[in-house]
Amino acid sequence: DAGVIQSPRHEVTEMGQEVTLRCKPISGHNSLFWYRQTMMRGLELLIYFNNNVPIDDSGMPEDRFSAKMPNASFSTLKIQPSEPRDSAVYFCASSLGKRGSYEQYFGPGTRLTVT
Amino acid sequence: AQTVTQSQPEMSVQEAETVTLSCTYDTSESDYYLFWYKQPPSRQMILVIRQEAYKQQNATENRFSVNFQKAAKSFSLKISDSQLGDAAMYFCAYRSAIGKLIFGQGTTLQVKP
């Protein structure tokens, strides 16, 4: 299996622009997670989906952030408009099942820089 | 709310020696899972080991083992026969039966040749 696939790997954009991050989970996994990693806040969960339905979006920082999962093999995280404080590494992870016993497998991450 | 604390920002170990990374957590739940993830400079998050709270036996994966003390809410990682490739940031993580993964702040491990 190819693992969790994220694109782009690096994104540099100017403040105010729209940014879309993409994720393809491992085939057969039905839970998908978006995380953000920064030096100040560490790794934090933004949102997670189970069977394409958002279950917990309490970590989404504000209305500028939105996430969708139109089908089992694709998810997007959008930031509009982007701000310099959004600069971070964004990870997507997937797991089999909703229960916590299943390991989450992470993608390589997208490094976002907003200037 | 659950919290995870790693009190050692940095650790170092001599190659072939043993090192223990500490992690404590706070929860009121009885059913949960604990994990250690490794993040090398490539920034890829790699699962090292997991422990189910209902299991008393400590998990072991080759050179990696844990010391799980449920009453003390402690979950340390022991790396035996350390190798240069073990150098990375290590994250302790908590996950409830139906909830999200909560990470500690991380411990940077340096392995000296």
Side-chain angles (χ1 to χ4, degrees):
Chain A
D1 199 315
V4 177
I5 299 172
Q6 290 186 248
S7 65
R9 294 292 306 276
H10 304 272
E11 177 79 36
V12 180
T13 190
E14 292 184 348
M15 182 174 62
Q17 297 298 305
E18 177 180 294
V19 175
T20 299
L21 311 181
R22 297 173 176 80
C23 175
K24 177 179 169 57
I26 292 172
S27 178
H29 284 189
N30 59 356
S31 288
L32 184 140
F33 308 80
W34 282 101
Y35 292 90
R36 179 172 67 176
Q37 185 177 30
T38 62
M39 289 294 292
M40 291 296 295
R41 300 176 65 90
L43 271 160
E44 52 184 346
L45 178 71
L46 300 177
I47 185 170
Y48 88 87
F49 297 84
N50 181 253
N51 292 327
N52 312 336
V53 176
I55 302 300
D56 183 351
D57 66 354
S58 59
M60 295 287 265
E62 49 196 275
D63 292 345
R64 297 185 297 106
F65 286 69
S66 62
K68 294 182 180 179
M69 192 164 186
N71 57 62
S73 59
F74 183 67
S75 177
T76 59
L77 178 67
K78 185 176 295 186
I79 308 172
Q80 167 62 24
S82 59
E83 296 182 1
R85 59 190 169 128
D86 301 331
S87 297
V89 179
Y90 291 82
F91 287 99
C92 176
S94 71
S95 73
L96 178 63
K98 185 179 178 181
R99 291 191 58 79
S101 61
Y102 294 106
E103 293 88 348
Q104 293 184 24
Y105 294 88
F106 283 73
T110 295
R111 181 177 293 279
L112 173 65
T113 303
V114 183
T115 60
Chain B
Q2 296 87 13
T3 59
V4 178
T5 302
Q6 293 177 250
S7 59
Q8 306 155 315
E10 296 180 354
M11 292 283 285
S12 66
V13 63
Q14 206 69 35
E15 194 176 5
E17 297 295 308
T18 296
V19 65
T20 299
L21 308 184
S22 302
C23 173
T24 58
Y25 59 94
D26 189 27
T27 184
S28 58
E29 299 177 327
S30 59
D31 185 15
Y32 54 87
Y33 304 84
L34 298 164
F35 303 87
W36 279 97
Y37 280 87
K38 170 185 177 181
Q39 187 178 40
S42 67
R43 78 169 181 252
Q44 177 73 50
M45 294 289 288
I46 302 166
L47 178 67
V48 174
I49 199 165
R50 81 169 194 188
Q51 175 78 44
E52 293 88 342
Y54 62 85
K55 288 187 177 179
Q56 291 187 338
Q57 186 174 6
N58 290 323
T60 299
E61 288 288 341
N62 300 315
R63 297 183 296 107
F64 299 87
S65 61
V66 300
N67 183 4
F68 173 49
Q69 301 289 328
K70 190 172 183 179
K73 297 179 182 175
S74 171
F75 181 61
S76 61
L77 174 70
K78 185 172 80 171
I79 306 174
S80 304
D81 185 25
S82 297
Q83 301 175 359
L84 295 177
D86 296 333
M89 180 166 279
Y90 287 81
F91 292 94
C92 177
Y94 170 102
R95 189 176 182 195
S96 63
I98 60 172
K100 59 190 178 184
L101 204 58
I102 299 168
F103 288 91
Q105 305 92 319
T107 296
T108 299
L109 178 65
Q110 180 185 21
V111 181
K112 299 178 180 179

